[in-house]
Amino acid sequence: MSASFETVSVVDVHKDNIQTIWPSLMLALKSATYVAIDTELSGIGNRKTLNAKLLEDRYKSMSESAKSRSIVSLGLSCFKLTEVTACDSTPVTNGEGEDCDDENKSTKSNKWVFSVQTFNITALCSDEYIVEPPSLEFLVDHGFDFNKQYAKGISYYRGPDRPDFAGPSFLRQLFISLLVSEVPVVFHNALMDLMFLYQNLYTNLPTSSAMFLADLTEMFPNGMIDTKYVTDFQHRMPASYLEYVFRKRQRDNYFGIESHRSYCTIDNPNYAKMSDQVIVCNVKLPQSYTTDIPEEQVDKLKDSVCEVFGGHGWCGKGSKCKRSHDIDLILDLDQFVQTKKRRKRKRRRHNKENSELLEESNDTVDDSIQEVVTPMENDEDSESHAKEITLPGDILKKPVEIVRSGSHRAGFDAFMTGFILSTYIAQYGSYNGSLLLKDLGVEQMKNSIYLTGKDHPLNIVKSSFAKTSKEHRDKFMKLKIGRPL
């Protein structure tokens, strides 16, 4: 693959093939630089209490959801950083890469190569659990097959270990292997995923959020990253839902090559021998663009887009919505708006500088200065001819097609999450010879979890006033000394 990859391969894991795939899954996990994780759930509970003002109220509400709902699928995407090279393909040694071959040669840029293996695991809770019609309708609307889940889902139970559980507990063992490997983990909007994983595949959740945070610091000693927090508070993107961020970062990563910026490439294993067990997701970028978009056409396109979906990545009408959910069109329109704002800011600066020059000249401006201070001609007309606008070239030649959002499979969502981080590493990270995440200069992204409606993150730290939970201590001790669970 390359920076312009068009497909993503996801290994479909279920009870009929888990034993065959298990060795490859373990190898991918243990050799990963980081593992991106996503879950699909049977429900999440009361939306109002989930976003309660007080953190402890939120925690209690999420705990009740995790204890009464289930994981219906689990996505793991194992990203392994294999190589970092300078933009001229000269290997970088100890961080001293060659300068990029651009005009001013004032900056260095690198190509970051990641080998990726992604797994979509169908799960089936053996305990009774609540299913929420809106959640199930959402999953069905985005391609989830509940018939397959009940026919081939990998059985698991919630809460503490049950030595008498019939058959192997692959999912719980998978989570234990993740903890034992001490690999950094990545989520997009992490809190709910973390709590469901803890309750469903580890043990009972602690009674307080402080105790839960203390447990997490021991469970994930190399830290965790929430790409939604990074997007909202560090990178500051117009929207931060997963599909929007992934597509925006995919586009920026591709164009980073032409502008001599650092970028990442993705390599997938050859799955030719197991093609019947692989889901291929199409992520091809639009090919045709135009720079000649009249203002009135842009307004029409804006009216064709679902404003709710464009802002939040979710629409209550689902497939019945008559407006477009095309993420590329949404991104193109956002790009148009941002470009227009940049031009206005530039024009204001230009006019201000011209006014200052006029004042200093005391009405004795010569011809050379007159060229500089002359106002832009046909400024309004030029608005629709900016080169930065990248709307699809054929969008105005046919009726707007109602394009639905992505598949929302847990495996593909996990890949999107991991890819977002890989682009942030390429943009903000640094290379000094080590391929470990802790040495890549992204420590400022670690252990800060996004909180809906808050202007600050939830920091994963162990309070001096809080102890770890007893159930966690008992279980974690067994892991440390290698006793069977």
Side-chain angles (χ1 to χ4, degrees):
M1 277 192 178
S2 68
S4 58
F5 59 93
E6 298 181 356
T7 60
V8 174
S9 298
V10 180
V11 180
D12 185 28
V13 185
H14 46 75
K15 71 176 184 180
D16 292 345
N17 65 5
I18 180 64
Q19 289 184 319
T20 302
I21 293 175
W22 185 262
S24 298
L25 177 55
M26 288 296 100
L27 181 60
L29 187 154
K30 294 175 182 177
S31 60
T33 305
Y34 60 86
V35 175
I37 304 174
D38 184 80
T39 62
E40 297 292 353
L41 311 172
S42 69
I44 60 174
N46 189 308
R47 271 66 172 175
K48 291 183 179 179
T49 56
L50 291 176
N51 296 326
K53 185 176 181 179
L54 298 178
L55 173 61
E56 207 59 34
D57 291 339
R58 290 194 189 195
Y59 178 78
K60 290 179 180 179
S61 178
M62 290 186 182
S63 294
E64 289 303 315
S65 297
K67 292 175 181 177
S68 56
R69 278 78 171 169
S70 73
I71 297 172
V72 298
S73 65
L74 174 65
L76 295 179
S77 193
C78 304
F79 279 68
K80 180 180 180 181
L81 180 60
T82 59
E83 186 181 14
V84 182
T85 60
C87 64
D88 60 358
S89 299
T90 302
V92 178
T93 304
N94 296 325
E96 298 298 327
E98 297 288 332
D99 283 345
C100 290
D101 186 21
D102 59 6
E103 293 181 0
N104 54 31
K105 295 187 178 181
S106 61
T107 60
K108 298 177 182 179
S109 64
N110 297 324
K111 178 176 75 171
W112 302 71
V113 182
F114 290 87
S115 175
V116 183
Q117 295 187 65
T118 303
F119 305 87
N120 185 81
I121 306 170
T122 303
L124 182 62
C125 183
S126 60
D127 301 326
E128 291 184 357
Y129 60 90
I130 294 174
V131 294
E132 298 176 15
S135 296
L136 270 60
E137 184 178 348
F138 174 84
L139 290 172
V140 170
D141 196 31
H142 291 85
F144 190 86
D145 187 347
F146 281 97
N147 289 328
K148 178 181 177 181
Q149 185 210 6
Y150 282 95
K152 295 188 176 184
I154 299 171
S155 182
Y156 78 93
Y157 58 87
R158 295 193 298 261
D161 295 318
R162 301 179 193 171
D164 58 346
F165 182 74
S169 184
F170 285 110
L171 293 185
R172 294 174 70 88
Q173 186 56 50
L174 173 61
F175 189 68
I176 293 303
S177 299
L178 180 71
L179 300 184
V180 171
S181 70
E182 297 188 350
V183 63
V185 291
V186 186
F187 301 87
H188 192 82
N189 206 358
L191 187 55
M192 184 70 78
D193 285 330
L194 284 168
M195 294 185 69
F196 264 80
L197 289 169
Y198 192 112
Q199 178 66 40
N200 281 255
L201 302 181
Y202 189 57
T203 190
N204 284 329
L205 282 162
T207 56
S208 71
S209 61
M211 200 176 291
F212 174 63
L213 297 178
D215 289 356
L216 290 179
T217 60
E218 290 190 354
M219 294 167 67
F220 301 104
N222 285 314
M224 62 193 70
I225 294 177
D226 187 340
T227 53
K228 186 172 178 68
Y229 168 74
V230 176
T231 299
D232 248 7
F233 290 92
Q234 296 181 347
H235 186 70
R236 297 188 179 278
M237 202 174 285
S240 60
Y241 58 90
L242 181 59
E243 191 177 5
Y244 182 99
V245 182
F246 166 71
R247 200 61 163 171
K248 182 71 166 65
R249 295 304 292 169
Q250 185 188 9
R251 291 155 67 125
D252 291 348
N253 186 65
Y254 175 72
F255 290 116
I257 303 173
E258 295 182 355
S259 55
H260 304 292
R261 299 194 307 267
S262 291
Y263 64 96
C264 64
T265 66
I266 303 298
D267 291 325
N268 262 341
N270 185 354
Y271 289 122
K273 294 183 179 179
M274 51 184 296
S275 58
D276 59 328
Q277 302 176 68
V278 174
I279 304 166
V280 179
C281 303
N282 180 18
V283 293
K284 186 176 181 180
L285 290 169
Q287 291 182 330
S288 60
Y289 297 91
T290 181
T291 60
D292 190 9
I293 305 297
E295 188 79 18
E296 63 272 14
Q297 291 288 1
V298 173
D299 290 338
K300 290 180 181 179
L301 289 175
K302 287 181 180 179
D303 291 339
S304 72
V305 170
C306 175
E307 186 176 355
V308 174
F309 182 86
H312 306 284
W314 178 85
C315 171
K317 297 179 181 179
S319 59
K320 297 178 182 179
C321 182
K322 296 182 180 180
R323 294 181 180 271
S324 177
H325 290 183
D326 183 353
I327 197 67
D328 286 304
L329 177 57
I330 293 168
L331 282 166
D332 287 333
L333 291 172
D334 282 355
Q335 178 67 28
F336 178 88
V337 172
Q338 292 169 23
T339 301
K340 188 175 179 180
K341 288 180 179 178
R342 283 197 299 269
R343 280 201 309 277
K344 286 184 177 179
R345 288 195 298 266
K346 184 177 180 180
R347 187 164 62 250
R348 283 196 297 266
R349 288 196 300 268
H350 177 78
N351 291 339
K352 182 179 179 181
E353 291 170 358
N354 289 344
S355 297
E356 292 174 352
L357 284 174
L358 282 171
E359 291 176 3
E360 292 175 2
S361 66
N362 292 321
D363 298 323
T364 58
V365 182
D366 61 23
D367 291 341
S368 62
I369 297 181
Q370 186 65 42
E371 263 186 48
V372 176
V373 300
T374 300
M376 295 181 180
E377 295 182 0
N378 299 321
D379 188 62
E380 292 300 321
D381 292 338
S382 68
E383 289 288 346
S384 61
H385 296 277
K387 293 183 178 180
E388 296 92 334
I389 301 171
T390 58
L391 288 173
D394 57 351
I395 195 69
L396 300 176
K397 300 176 184 178
K398 60 182 181 180
V400 175
E401 182 181 0
I402 307 301
V403 181
R404 300 300 161 198
S405 57
S407 63
H408 281 280
R409 290 186 177 93
F412 181 60
D413 287 0
F415 170 82
M416 289 196 289
T417 301
F419 176 77
I420 291 167
L421 179 59
S422 73
T423 65
Y424 285 148
I425 291 173
Q427 181 173 353
Y428 299 113
S430 58
Y431 179 66
N432 63 2
S434 171
L435 299 177
L436 299 176
L437 185 63
K438 65 180 182 179
D439 300 322
L440 300 181
V442 293
E443 289 297 308
Q444 75 279 7
M445 298 182 186
K446 287 187 178 181
N447 293 340
S448 294
I449 301 302
Y450 180 84
L451 288 175
T452 302
K454 300 290 185 180
D455 58 2
H456 58 81
L458 174 63
N459 295 314
I460 307 300
V461 294
K462 183 177 181 181
S463 169
S464 56
F465 302 102
K467 296 181 179 179
T468 56
S469 66
K470 183 180 185 305
E471 287 190 86
H472 160 72
R473 289 196 302 272
D474 292 344
K475 183 162 186 172
F476 207 64
M477 182 60 67
K478 293 178 182 179
L479 299 182
K480 289 297 183 181
I481 64 177
R483 293 210 309 263
L485 296 172

